[in-house]
Amino acid sequence: MTDPEELYQHWLETRIEPNTLRVSFQQPLSQIRNTGLEYALTTCEAEQIHQGFLFDSSTDFYVQEDDIPMWLDIIEENGLIGGGNTEFRATDEHVFYNAQTVNDVTTVSIPQLIIDLLDEDGPAVEAANRLIETHHTVNDE
């Protein structure tokens, strides 16, 4: 049997790093949902939806590359660039594979969420390990 932790570590080491932009938004989740554009939450906010271990202090999400100009307009109208509570991420479309909608909010798949949490520091790594344990435990009985 293949070790899930080894697979995630390999995926983490070989993945395409997303381009990111950190901004400040008032009520970021509401702003994101009201755009009508495709997105997928990740890290703390997505982990809170799926597992509830981390405090959702930041709203990080992926956007489609073709939608970047529209997102930039939204940022100019509603946000402040440079630091903040919201991180826009753009990379190839694979991050949208098997995205999930929970409570009218779209998140990345659990495997993508695990990778993104492993790429963070501190408690995010523990949250990723808990997700691995929950979603990849096999009974040896």
Side-chain angles (χ1 to χ4, degrees):
M1 176 175 186
T2 305
D3 181 19
E5 287 90 1
E6 286 181 29
L7 285 173
Y8 281 110
Q9 193 58 44
H10 175 72
W11 191 9
L12 182 62
E13 292 168 2
T14 59
R15 76 185 186 132
I16 298 169
E17 287 289 326
N19 293 316
T20 63
L21 175 63
R22 187 157 286 280
V23 301
S24 290
F25 268 147
Q26 288 185 0
Q27 302 178 330
L29 192 53
S30 294
Q31 297 233 359
I32 293 163
R33 291 170 65 190
N34 291 335
T35 64
L37 298 171
E38 189 171 1
Y39 71 91
L41 292 173
T42 192
T43 63
C44 296
E45 188 93 39
E47 188 279 338
Q48 180 60 228
I49 290 167
H50 289 285
Q51 180 172 248
F53 179 71
L54 296 175
F55 175 71
D56 54 352
S57 59
S58 177
T59 303
D60 303 339
F61 65 102
Y62 288 98
V63 301
Q64 292 283 359
E65 190 172 338
D66 292 343
D67 292 342
I68 290 174
M70 289 175 279
W71 282 109
L72 290 174
D73 288 342
I74 291 165
I75 292 167
E76 283 184 33
E77 291 173 18
N78 303 305
L80 300 170
I81 295 178
N85 59 354
T86 307
E87 184 173 272
F88 289 79
R89 297 177 176 202
T91 188
D92 65 23
E93 290 185 0
H94 78 275
V95 297
F96 288 94
Y97 176 75
N98 210 16
Q100 301 177 27
T101 301
V102 179
N103 299 329
D104 294 326
V105 179
T106 304
T107 71
V108 295
S109 66
I110 296 295
Q112 182 66 51
L113 176 57
I114 290 169
I115 291 299
D116 291 340
L117 289 168
L118 288 171
D119 196 37
E120 302 285 316
D121 292 326
V125 174
E126 184 175 345
N129 289 327
R130 286 173 178 235
L131 283 168
I132 290 170
E133 186 176 308
T134 301
H135 292 276
H136 298 291
T137 300
V138 176
N139 261 339
D140 292 331
E141 297 177 33

